[in-house]
Amino acid sequence: MSTAAAYAVSAPDGHFEKLAIERRDLGPNDVLIDVKYAGICHSDIHTARDEWGGARYPCVPGHEIAGLVAAVGSAVTKHAVGDRVGVGCMVDSCGKCEPCLAGEEQYCIPGATMTYNTAVAPELQSNGYTMGGYSTQVVVTEGFVVGIPEGIGLDVAAPLLCAGVTLFSPLRHWNAGPGKKVAIIGMGGLGHVGVKIAAAMGAEVTVLSHSLSKQEDGKRFGAHHYYATSDKQTFRELRGKFDLILNTVSADLPIDDYLRLLALDGTLVILGLPEKPLQVKPFTIAGYRRSLAGSMIGGIAQTQEMLNFCAEHGIGAEIEVISADRIDEAYDRVVASDVRYRFVIDTATM
Ligand code: NAP
Ligand code: ZN
Ligand code: ZN
């Protein structure tokens, strides 16, 4: 076992504090990573504050990890010491079920091992559950470690490991590209990279934000149109318009109002994960043969494809780098939608 510095909360209303945690000795297929940057995803906040239930404490969140390989196990072939690498939301899966065999490990039937808050054997993590990337080091099996191409800084790459692939995956699945009208609801951490990726894919991109305050940024990220959802006229003007709508909002929304913005055969994909059930009128779905769908991150191969795509198109997240002692403040600012557009922790400050 080795020891790493980490930042953890001990209760749903707790504050982040420095903690020494153990990382396992390297197995033959393991990679030890010196974490350089860890993004703050809204899912970290939902978990740390136990908004989804089932949080384990002390809780070390962090699933947008970018760093350098420090050591490799004897059988590792995919990565070498010094490589620039990333780890996203998963650190393992069964490898045998249909989704795993199809490279969709995030839909593993027995359940993927998430980067934090998943029960594991004590030989994998001595406290009995995974602990994430708000830490100086992590040990991850090589198949769940992806390469970060030269040309993207590790700091702006970190958020791509969750936010990037969470948007890239549904954009690819529902064929975003030239001739497709795509709307993105919410321009926060997920939404802003979604705008950049969808625009780079060639789609006509519209942002639906609760105000026009970030309009200039949205246009700079590649959006063609930008509307405020606080204005009722938006819903009249855009009725029946979009082929694909991606909802990244972390709070409850009147989904029927947004479903009505879909064109015939359009799809609205739920990405944001507030805790309350959705309310949808059957008539709204039946009309115009609309689909209401969901999507969860992306598989490992697709995560690599997304990083390569982002490197090729010069896409990184817009970030504010913070020291580890500012995580509490960053959480409050994310919840208040006061983030431009992702906080990233510099682990050198741990
Ligand atoms: P974020 O940075 O906080 O962005 C969420 C955005 O939603 C805000 O910037 C804001 O955009 C909008 N919003 C927030 N509160 C709102 C409200 N009360 N009414 C209307 N709009 C509001 O969060 P994130 O990190 O992007 O994550 C977003 C959600 O996705 C979270 O629930 C997270 O758990 C979930 N998530 C899901 C997956 C997945 O695989 N499906 C992966 C990662 C995260 P505007 O200011 O532009 O309106
Ligand atoms: Zn996330
Ligand atoms: Zn599986």
Side-chain angles (χ1 to χ4, degrees):
M1 295 279 178
S2 61
T3 302
Y7 270 70
V9 273
S10 299
D13 56 355
H15 295 288
F16 275 90
E17 284 174 350
K18 192 170 171 173
L19 184 74
I21 61 169
E22 284 180 343
R23 296 299 190 187
R24 66 177 182 262
D25 290 333
L26 292 192
N29 299 107
D30 282 337
V31 176
L32 173 68
I33 300 166
D34 280 337
V35 179
K36 296 295 177 195
Y37 296 98
I40 294 180
C41 174
H42 208 118
S43 300
D44 298 351
I45 303 175
H46 291 309
T47 305
R49 297 186 171 174
D50 203 18
E51 291 167 0
W52 291 333
R56 295 170 167 91
Y57 297 97
C59 171
V60 179
H63 59 206
E64 294 185 335
I65 300 170
L68 299 174
V69 174
V72 295
S74 56
V76 169
T77 55
K78 198 177 153 192
H79 304 286
V81 172
D83 282 1
R84 293 153 44 88
V85 292
V87 176
C89 301
M90 303 176 281
V91 288
D92 210 351
S93 72
C94 86
K96 297 182 198 118
C97 71
E98 253 181 61
C100 279
L101 293 173
E104 304 267 24
E105 299 89 352
Q106 72 279 29
Y107 304 121
C108 175
I109 290 171
T113 304
M114 306 316 278
T115 306
Y116 56 82
N117 202 48
T118 297
V120 288
E123 50 279 22
L124 295 176
Q125 182 70 51
S126 57
N127 48 280
Y129 57 91
T130 50
M131 290 188 151
Y134 297 3
S135 172
T136 52
Q137 291 191 315
V138 284
V139 176
V140 180
T141 189
E142 67 170 329
F144 285 75
V145 178
V146 291
I148 297 178
E150 293 295 334
I152 320 184
L154 291 179
D155 51 356
V156 299
L160 300 176
L161 274 301
C162 172
V165 74
T166 299
L167 275 290
F168 184 87
S169 185
L171 287 166
R172 273 278 192 262
H173 186 81
W174 279 280
N175 302 313
K180 294 272 180 179
K181 292 191 170 71
V182 175
I184 295 180
I185 315 174
M187 201 173 76
L190 263 58
H192 91 285
V193 273
V195 170
K196 291 186 178 193
I197 293 172
M201 287 175 174
E204 184 178 330
V205 184
T206 299
V207 175
L208 304 172
S209 180
H210 60 284
S211 75
L212 294 179
S213 65
K214 297 180 275 191
Q215 178 167 221
E216 262 180 44
D217 289 345
K219 296 270 175 82
R220 183 161 52 84
F221 302 155
H224 304 90
H225 317 282
Y226 201 104
Y227 288 86
T229 54
S230 52
D231 180 355
K232 286 209 161 59
Q233 177 59 24
T234 292
F235 292 91
R236 284 191 286 270
E237 192 179 329
L238 299 179
R239 200 177 171 116
K241 185 106 175 169
F242 300 106
D243 303 301
L244 179 64
I245 302 179
L246 304 180
N247 174 20
T248 74
V249 174
S250 50
D252 303 319
L253 286 185
I255 285 294
D256 279 302
D257 293 351
Y258 291 88
L259 282 166
R260 290 188 197 100
L261 306 185
L262 288 173
L264 176 64
D265 287 324
T267 302
L268 187 151
V269 184
I270 299 292
L271 301 173
L273 301 169
E275 65 272 31
K276 284 205 207 116
L278 286 176
Q279 295 259 16
V280 180
K281 287 198 185 103
F283 263 101
T284 325
I285 289 283
Y288 298 87
R289 211 158 47 206
R290 298 175 177 118
S291 297
L292 177 60
S295 182
M296 193 61 97
I297 47 175
I300 298 299
Q302 197 169 46
T303 303
Q304 187 66 64
E305 185 193 336
M306 174 276 305
L307 287 169
N308 298 348
F309 178 93
C310 287
E312 192 182 315
H313 292 272
I315 295 172
E318 304 290 314
I319 59 168
E320 187 174 330
V321 176
I322 59 163
S323 52
D325 57 1
R326 291 181 57 206
I327 300 172
D328 291 316
E329 175 197 333
Y331 273 31
D332 290 340
R333 285 184 52 196
V334 172
V335 172
S337 295
D338 176 25
V339 50
R340 302 287 184 276
Y341 282 83
R342 200 56 138 187
F343 287 109
V344 171
I345 304 162
D346 177 354
T347 62
T349 62
M350 291 187 175

mmCIF file of all heavy atoms in Angstrom, residues 159-178:
data_model
loop_
_atom_site.group_PDB
_atom_site.id
_atom_site.type_symbol
_atom_site.label_atom_id
_atom_site.label_comp_id
_atom_site.label_asym_id
_atom_site.label_seq_id
_atom_site.Cartn_x
_atom_site.Cartn_y
_atom_site.Cartn_z
ATOM 1 N N PRO A 159 -11.666 18.101 -17.546
ATOM 2 C CA PRO A 159 -13.138 18.063 -17.610
ATOM 3 C C PRO A 159 -13.694 17.250 -18.778
ATOM 4 O O PRO A 159 -14.859 16.837 -18.756
ATOM 5 C CB PRO A 159 -13.525 19.539 -17.739
ATOM 6 C CG PRO A 159 -12.371 20.284 -17.147
ATOM 7 C CD PRO A 159 -11.165 19.490 -17.551
ATOM 8 N N LEU A 160 -12.864 17.022 -19.791
ATOM 9 C CA LEU A 160 -13.369 16.242 -20.931
ATOM 10 C C LEU A 160 -13.640 14.795 -20.520
ATOM 11 O O LEU A 160 -14.466 14.127 -21.131
ATOM 12 C CB LEU A 160 -12.362 16.274 -22.083
ATOM 13 C CG LEU A 160 -12.025 17.667 -22.635
ATOM 14 C CD1 LEU A 160 -10.939 17.558 -23.708
ATOM 15 C CD2 LEU A 160 -13.269 18.349 -23.195
ATOM 16 N N LEU A 161 -12.954 14.326 -19.456
ATOM 17 C CA LEU A 161 -13.075 12.915 -19.069
ATOM 18 C C LEU A 161 -14.479 12.542 -18.601
ATOM 19 O O LEU A 161 -14.884 11.397 -18.708
ATOM 20 C CB LEU A 161 -12.040 12.583 -17.979
ATOM 21 C CG LEU A 161 -10.635 12.174 -18.449
ATOM 22 C CD1 LEU A 161 -10.653 10.958 -19.339
ATOM 23 C CD2 LEU A 161 -9.889 13.281 -19.142
ATOM 24 N N CYS A 162 -15.234 13.544 -18.090
ATOM 25 C CA CYS A 162 -16.661 13.275 -17.832
ATOM 26 C C CYS A 162 -17.510 14.174 -18.724
ATOM 27 O O CYS A 162 -18.251 13.697 -19.582
ATOM 28 C CB CYS A 162 -17.038 13.467 -16.361
ATOM 29 S SG CYS A 162 -18.827 13.371 -16.123
ATOM 30 N N ALA A 163 -17.392 15.491 -18.541
ATOM 31 C CA ALA A 163 -18.264 16.408 -19.299
ATOM 32 C C ALA A 163 -18.130 16.184 -20.804
ATOM 33 O O ALA A 163 -19.126 16.141 -21.526
ATOM 34 C CB ALA A 163 -17.924 17.862 -18.945
ATOM 35 N N GLY A 164 -16.903 16.029 -21.285
ATOM 36 C CA GLY A 164 -16.676 15.873 -22.725
ATOM 37 C C GLY A 164 -17.374 14.654 -23.273
ATOM 38 O O GLY A 164 -18.154 14.730 -24.232
ATOM 39 N N VAL A 165 -17.117 13.507 -22.668
ATOM 40 C CA VAL A 165 -17.678 12.271 -23.231
ATOM 41 C C VAL A 165 -19.185 12.180 -23.004
ATOM 42 O O VAL A 165 -19.905 11.592 -23.813
ATOM 43 C CB VAL A 165 -16.925 11.022 -22.709
ATOM 44 C CG1 VAL A 165 -17.267 10.704 -21.260
ATOM 45 C CG2 VAL A 165 -17.197 9.828 -23.621
ATOM 46 N N THR A 166 -19.689 12.797 -21.941
ATOM 47 C CA THR A 166 -21.137 12.764 -21.681
ATOM 48 C C THR A 166 -21.914 13.477 -22.783
ATOM 49 O O THR A 166 -23.054 13.119 -23.088
ATOM 50 C CB THR A 166 -21.435 13.390 -20.294
ATOM 51 O OG1 THR A 166 -20.758 12.612 -19.307
ATOM 52 C CG2 THR A 166 -22.919 13.418 -19.988
ATOM 53 N N LEU A 167 -21.288 14.466 -23.410
ATOM 54 C CA LEU A 167 -21.932 15.173 -24.528
ATOM 55 C C LEU A 167 -21.574 14.538 -25.865
ATOM 56 O O LEU A 167 -22.415 14.405 -26.761
ATOM 57 C CB LEU A 167 -21.536 16.662 -24.488
ATOM 58 C CG LEU A 167 -22.357 17.575 -23.582
ATOM 59 C CD1 LEU A 167 -23.759 17.763 -24.157
ATOM 60 C CD2 LEU A 167 -22.495 17.065 -22.156
ATOM 61 N N PHE A 168 -20.322 14.121 -26.005
ATOM 62 C CA PHE A 168 -19.861 13.527 -27.273
ATOM 63 C C PHE A 168 -20.680 12.278 -27.592
ATOM 64 O O PHE A 168 -21.101 12.071 -28.743
ATOM 65 C CB PHE A 168 -18.374 13.166 -27.128
ATOM 66 C CG PHE A 168 -17.730 12.634 -28.381
ATOM 67 C CD1 PHE A 168 -17.180 13.499 -29.323
ATOM 68 C CD2 PHE A 168 -17.628 11.261 -28.609
ATOM 69 C CE1 PHE A 168 -16.556 13.005 -30.470
ATOM 70 C CE2 PHE A 168 -17.012 10.766 -29.755
ATOM 71 C CZ PHE A 168 -16.475 11.640 -30.692
ATOM 72 N N SER A 169 -20.923 11.449 -26.591
ATOM 73 C CA SER A 169 -21.574 10.154 -26.819
ATOM 74 C C SER A 169 -22.989 10.304 -27.407
ATOM 75 O O SER A 169 -23.279 9.728 -28.458
ATOM 76 C CB SER A 169 -21.579 9.343 -25.520
ATOM 77 O OG SER A 169 -22.088 8.069 -25.767
ATOM 78 N N PRO A 170 -23.884 11.093 -26.798
ATOM 79 C CA PRO A 170 -25.205 11.245 -27.420
ATOM 80 C C PRO A 170 -25.158 12.015 -28.739
ATOM 81 O O PRO A 170 -25.968 11.753 -29.638
ATOM 82 C CB PRO A 170 -26.028 11.994 -26.363
ATOM 83 C CG PRO A 170 -25.035 12.627 -25.463
ATOM 84 C CD PRO A 170 -23.821 11.739 -25.472
ATOM 85 N N LEU A 171 -24.216 12.945 -28.882
ATOM 86 C CA LEU A 171 -24.123 13.666 -30.166
ATOM 87 C C LEU A 171 -23.791 12.681 -31.283
ATOM 88 O O LEU A 171 -24.370 12.741 -32.367
ATOM 89 C CB LEU A 171 -23.069 14.778 -30.082
ATOM 90 C CG LEU A 171 -23.489 16.004 -29.252
ATOM 91 C CD1 LEU A 171 -22.284 16.885 -28.937
ATOM 92 C CD2 LEU A 171 -24.573 16.819 -29.967
ATOM 93 N N ARG A 172 -22.889 11.734 -31.008
ATOM 94 C CA ARG A 172 -22.554 10.712 -32.004
ATOM 95 C C ARG A 172 -23.727 9.735 -32.196
ATOM 96 O O ARG A 172 -24.089 9.407 -33.325
ATOM 97 C CB ARG A 172 -21.340 9.898 -31.541
ATOM 98 C CG ARG A 172 -20.023 10.486 -31.928
ATOM 99 C CD ARG A 172 -19.662 10.126 -33.384
ATOM 100 N NE ARG A 172 -18.270 10.454 -33.672
ATOM 101 C CZ ARG A 172 -17.860 11.567 -34.279
ATOM 102 N NH1 ARG A 172 -18.718 12.493 -34.650
ATOM 103 N NH2 ARG A 172 -16.576 11.768 -34.497
ATOM 104 N N HIS A 173 -24.301 9.288 -31.062
ATOM 105 C CA HIS A 173 -25.361 8.271 -31.137
ATOM 106 C C HIS A 173 -26.554 8.755 -31.957
ATOM 107 O O HIS A 173 -27.145 7.992 -32.713
ATOM 108 C CB HIS A 173 -25.810 7.877 -29.723
ATOM 109 C CG HIS A 173 -26.792 6.754 -29.704
ATOM 110 N ND1 HIS A 173 -26.407 5.435 -29.819
ATOM 111 C CD2 HIS A 173 -28.148 6.742 -29.634
ATOM 112 C CE1 HIS A 173 -27.485 4.663 -29.809
ATOM 113 N NE2 HIS A 173 -28.555 5.431 -29.684
ATOM 114 N N TRP A 174 -26.915 10.039 -31.777
ATOM 115 C CA TRP A 174 -28.064 10.582 -32.509
ATOM 116 C C TRP A 174 -27.616 11.376 -33.746
ATOM 117 O O TRP A 174 -28.355 12.215 -34.257
ATOM 118 C CB TRP A 174 -28.956 11.389 -31.562
ATOM 119 C CG TRP A 174 -29.872 10.499 -30.761
ATOM 120 C CD1 TRP A 174 -31.048 9.940 -31.191
ATOM 121 C CD2 TRP A 174 -29.697 10.031 -29.409
ATOM 122 N NE1 TRP A 174 -31.597 9.163 -30.186
ATOM 123 C CE2 TRP A 174 -30.801 9.195 -29.087
ATOM 124 C CE3 TRP A 174 -28.717 10.227 -28.435
ATOM 125 C CZ2 TRP A 174 -30.948 8.571 -27.840
ATOM 126 C CZ3 TRP A 174 -28.857 9.604 -27.204
ATOM 127 C CH2 TRP A 174 -29.961 8.784 -26.915
ATOM 128 N N ASN A 175 -26.391 11.075 -34.225
ATOM 129 C CA ASN A 175 -25.900 11.584 -35.521
ATOM 130 C C ASN A 175 -25.927 13.099 -35.677
ATOM 131 O O ASN A 175 -26.392 13.615 -36.694
ATOM 132 C CB ASN A 175 -26.695 10.943 -36.674
ATOM 133 C CG ASN A 175 -26.603 9.438 -36.640
ATOM 134 O OD1 ASN A 175 -25.512 8.893 -36.492
ATOM 135 N ND2 ASN A 175 -27.742 8.755 -36.722
ATOM 136 N N ALA A 176 -25.432 13.806 -34.673
ATOM 137 C CA ALA A 176 -25.296 15.260 -34.836
ATOM 138 C C ALA A 176 -24.274 15.517 -35.943
ATOM 139 O O ALA A 176 -23.262 14.832 -36.017
ATOM 140 C CB ALA A 176 -24.812 15.878 -33.527
ATOM 141 N N GLY A 177 -24.573 16.470 -36.790
ATOM 142 C CA GLY A 177 -23.659 16.789 -37.894
ATOM 143 C C GLY A 177 -24.328 17.772 -38.825
ATOM 144 O O GLY A 177 -25.380 18.347 -38.487
ATOM 145 N N PRO A 178 -23.755 17.992 -39.997
ATOM 146 C CA PRO A 178 -24.328 18.960 -40.936
ATOM 147 C C PRO A 178 -25.799 18.656 -41.223
ATOM 148 O O PRO A 178 -26.177 17.492 -41.392
ATOM 149 C CB PRO A 178 -23.469 18.776 -42.198
ATOM 150 C CG PRO A 178 -22.159 18.239 -41.681
ATOM 151 C CD PRO A 178 -22.514 17.378 -40.504
#
